[in-house]
Amino acid sequence: MTIIEVDGVNVQPLTIDSICIFAGQRYSFVLTADQPINNYWIRAEPNVHIGTTQGSFDGGINSAILRYTDAPIQDPNTTQTPNSKPLRETDLHPLTDPAAPGAPTLGDADVALTLSIGFDVKTHQFSINGASFFPPSVPVLLQILSGAKTPQELYPSGSVYTLPRNKVIEVSIPGGSLGSPVGGLTAS
């Protein structure tokens, strides 16, 4: 299979034989169906195993069938082979230059945000710029998508930042570090 897009970003085509997908990640790929006409297993092995099915595909669990036209209607008789070319995210590269507009100079951003991380030892609550998050009874994304409320109505005052399009945004976190680019492949 060849990956062509990741989380809304077109990438240079990358041929692999397996993908480890984490929560919230999205991949688009082209599957080349050039094998003999037959039925083939597509397997998904969750990294959190529940009950007695740990790492198992017995009885078709965690599996789907890729059935070629004119193949008999039956379970595949193929066996799993070791992955020889799994996806390494460091091998993904944007198809076009994702550079942000403006000069990449500290302090030259169009908008500068400082996120001060706090922790209250009495309540065991983290905060950003003094605002703590308390989840509502109905999931936030569901309320936003339904149009029932805006993010500003759902989150604590001062915790939603509306950012202008096509501008350089500088985010500073005093005393902390960010291990990977915010936004994945397109942060610059």
Side-chain angles (χ1 to χ4, degrees):
M1 74 184 114
T2 303
I3 296 179
I4 58 171
E5 176 267 334
V6 179
D7 290 332
V9 177
N10 292 331
V11 296
Q12 294 173 7
L14 178 65
T15 301
I16 58 162
D17 66 2
S18 63
I19 304 173
C20 184
I21 302 175
F22 295 99
Q25 290 183 313
R26 304 290 181 267
Y27 292 92
S28 295
F29 59 87
V30 175
L31 178 67
T32 304
D34 60 358
Q35 300 299 306
I37 293 175
N38 206 342
N39 299 306
Y40 297 89
W41 287 116
I42 297 175
R43 296 183 170 102
E45 183 177 12
N47 64 349
V48 176
H49 306 293
I50 299 171
T52 60
T53 61
Q54 185 169 2
S56 171
F57 302 111
D58 293 343
I61 194 164
N62 302 321
S63 303
I65 297 174
L66 172 67
R67 180 171 287 124
Y68 279 52
T69 301
D70 298 328
I73 307 296
Q74 62 188 32
D75 281 354
N77 58 9
T78 56
T79 58
Q80 184 175 9
T81 57
N83 299 324
S84 60
K85 191 162 179 147
L87 169 65
R88 293 183 317 165
E89 290 197 16
T90 54
D91 292 337
L92 294 170
H93 304 288
L95 196 57
T96 57
D97 183 2
T105 307
L106 188 62
D108 264 356
D110 298 307
V111 176
L113 296 175
T114 300
L115 302 180
S116 297
I117 310 296
F119 181 72
D120 185 326
V121 293
K122 292 180 184 175
T123 64
H124 297 119
Q125 290 291 321
F126 283 94
S127 63
I128 298 178
N129 294 349
S132 292
F133 176 75
F134 298 97
S137 59
V138 176
V140 170
L141 186 57
L142 183 61
Q143 292 186 62
I144 293 169
L145 292 176
S146 73
K149 295 192 176 190
T150 66
Q152 290 82 351
E153 294 172 304
L154 293 167
Y155 289 110
S157 177
S159 63
V160 175
Y161 300 90
T162 303
L163 302 174
R165 296 179 74 132
N166 299 316
K167 299 293 181 186
V168 176
I169 313 298
E170 179 179 298
V171 179
S172 300
I173 304 173
S177 66
L178 203 54
S180 63
V182 175
L185 294 171
T186 57
S188 61

